[in-house]
Amino acid sequence: TINKDPQLVEYARESINRTLQVEFSEQIQPVNYRVEKSKIELYDDETCCFNVNIVDNRVQKNNGPVFFTSPYKKAFFIDNPFIFDNQSTERRIFRSRFDSDTEGILNSITIVSHNTKLKLFLRSNNRPTVLEQTIINESVEKIKEKIDLILPGTFEFSSIGDYYIKNGTKLKISNLATGSKMFFIIKILLERGELDQSTMLILDEPEAHLHPSWQNRFAEMIVLLVKELDVNILLTTHSSNFVLALDAYMRKYKIEEKTNFYRTIFNDNNTVDYVCTNDDIVEIYKDFLQYFSEVKMLRNECIK
């Protein structure tokens, strides 16, 4: 429908432009590797779903379509477990206007950073219906059990504060341990019924604040989201332990055909290539081992 109406096409294009400028502080194009023209394309296998051209850090008008198809109905980008730590006025400004049913590229009031958007969504009053809740409970019980081993309580959001409640004790969510906050965000999305085959869940170094044992639990939870709910997950990590945990649980729950591992290759011109290493995941471990070996050698030299 959008692509058939020229006015809607341009409205969508400008909404995308404003969204990218907010997200990247008006530096959409590369800084170290300067180019006159950039392009953003999203593909589902061989099918192009989204395509925009960028010049001078602005999405260009070319009278062409923006969206071709969409394999996902919703997307969540999680890279900051501290989104509830700053109790700013933004939630009062947006709370009465934010409604996930109207969330979309044509809704100008949702053009905020991904962290603000996620925070507002988690605090929204939208809840699944009784029927939806029954289906959710049947589908995610195994995953909820895993999360409850780490974070067994419930949550309360109100005008007076946001709390984690366990055994009748109320703790402000901002005072939760940082690692617990990552489990908290996933738990809320899970209980709201927002994690399913139509969801793209993007996690940027989710293990960063987790003890190795909790990294293992988080990895198992991610694998179960894929196996039980068919959630589409894209994540990055700098942890060899986390990679190993993902690899192990992927094999335990037999989702190898749904899983891909990629290794980053840094080029001289400041660009990055992503190389699929499904057939040789050892290359990823070699990268991590290189830095471990460097400090091990340094330590051995110092204690001679």
Side-chain angles (χ1 to χ4, degrees):
T1 302
I2 292 177
N3 289 334
K4 293 180 180 179
D5 188 326
Q7 289 184 325
L8 286 179
V9 169
E10 291 311 312
Y11 185 39
R13 199 185 311 279
E14 182 56 28
S15 295
I16 294 167
N17 178 60
R18 290 173 57 191
T19 299
L20 291 173
Q21 289 186 338
V22 167
E23 196 63 54
F24 296 103
S25 301
E26 300 185 353
Q27 289 186 323
I28 305 173
Q29 291 178 279
V31 175
N32 294 326
Y33 180 59
R34 295 189 178 277
V35 293
E36 180 180 348
K37 182 178 180 179
S38 304
K39 178 180 287 189
I40 299 177
E41 294 180 325
L42 298 179
Y43 283 85
D44 179 28
D45 292 328
E46 300 298 324
T47 303
C48 183
C49 305
F50 175 83
N51 182 351
V52 294
N53 295 315
I54 300 170
V55 176
D56 293 330
N57 289 303
R58 285 190 60 85
V59 174
Q60 293 299 288
K61 298 181 180 180
N62 59 10
N63 297 320
V66 178
F67 300 100
F68 300 91
T69 182
S70 177
Y72 313 113
K73 293 182 179 179
K74 47 201 170 183
F76 299 100
F77 178 24
I78 303 172
D79 67 341
N80 178 15
F82 304 103
I83 58 174
F84 279 91
D85 287 11
N86 297 321
Q87 299 299 321
S88 65
T89 57
E90 66 185 12
R91 83 178 179 194
R92 299 185 183 92
I93 294 172
F94 288 100
R95 185 183 177 197
S96 62
R97 297 187 294 170
F98 185 82
D99 182 347
S100 65
D101 290 338
T102 61
E103 189 267 335
I105 197 65
L106 298 181
N107 187 355
S108 61
I109 68 170
T110 63
I111 298 180
V112 292
S113 70
H114 67 276
N115 282 321
T116 299
K117 186 176 179 180
L118 178 62
K119 178 178 177 180
L120 293 170
F121 184 88
L122 293 173
R123 295 193 83 258
S124 70
N125 293 321
N126 294 304
R127 297 291 188 276
T129 64
V130 174
L131 175 60
E132 289 172 334
Q133 190 63 57
T134 301
I135 296 173
I136 291 170
N137 289 341
E138 291 176 353
S139 302
V140 306
E141 192 60 38
K142 183 182 296 185
I143 308 173
K144 288 177 65 176
E145 289 177 359
K146 298 294 182 181
I147 298 178
D148 285 344
L149 293 175
I150 303 295
L151 201 66
T154 59
F155 302 94
E156 176 185 285
F157 302 98
S158 70
S159 59
I160 62 173
D162 306 321
Y163 293 93
Y164 168 61
I165 304 173
K166 179 182 176 183
N167 298 328
T169 301
K170 298 173 67 173
L171 175 70
K172 284 194 172 182
I173 292 176
S174 58
N175 290 327
L176 275 174
T178 305
S180 297
K181 292 173 183 175
M182 288 300 299
F183 285 93
F184 146 70
I185 294 173
I186 301 298
K187 185 173 184 177
I188 293 295
L189 292 176
L190 189 65
E191 291 179 346
R192 298 279 176 84
E194 295 297 336
L195 300 179
D196 55 36
Q197 70 276 5
S198 68
T199 307
M200 170 57 77
L201 181 62
I202 306 172
L203 305 171
D204 186 15
E205 300 177 34
E207 84 294 341
H209 300 280
L210 299 178
H211 183 278
S213 65
W214 279 23
Q215 289 184 18
N216 295 346
R217 301 287 75 76
F218 200 88
E220 183 177 19
M221 178 190 69
I222 289 173
V223 169
L224 285 172
L225 286 174
V226 176
K227 179 179 177 60
E228 302 294 333
L229 301 179
D230 207 20
V231 180
N232 305 278
I233 300 178
L234 174 65
L235 67 84
T236 63
T237 179
H238 290 161
S239 168
S240 57
N241 180 82
F242 194 54
V243 171
L244 181 59
L246 289 169
D247 191 7
Y249 284 113
M250 170 198 74
R251 299 176 190 283
K252 174 181 177 180
Y253 292 108
K254 304 186 187 308
I255 62 165
E256 293 95 324
E257 73 285 354
K258 296 183 178 181
T259 307
N260 294 300
F261 288 86
Y262 294 87
R263 177 176 173 235
T264 54
I265 305 295
F266 293 90
N267 303 317
D268 293 337
N269 61 359
N270 293 314
T271 61
V272 178
D273 293 329
Y274 296 90
V275 180
C276 184
T277 59
N278 290 351
D279 296 329
D280 193 12
I281 196 174
V282 174
E283 290 299 317
I284 295 178
Y285 295 116
K286 285 183 179 178
D287 289 341
F288 289 124
L289 184 60
Q290 171 188 343
Y291 306 112
F292 177 83
S293 298
E294 287 179 1
V295 292
K296 185 175 185 297
M297 290 175 61
L298 175 62
R299 178 181 181 277
N300 290 341
E301 290 175 0
C302 291
I303 62 177
K304 285 182 179 179

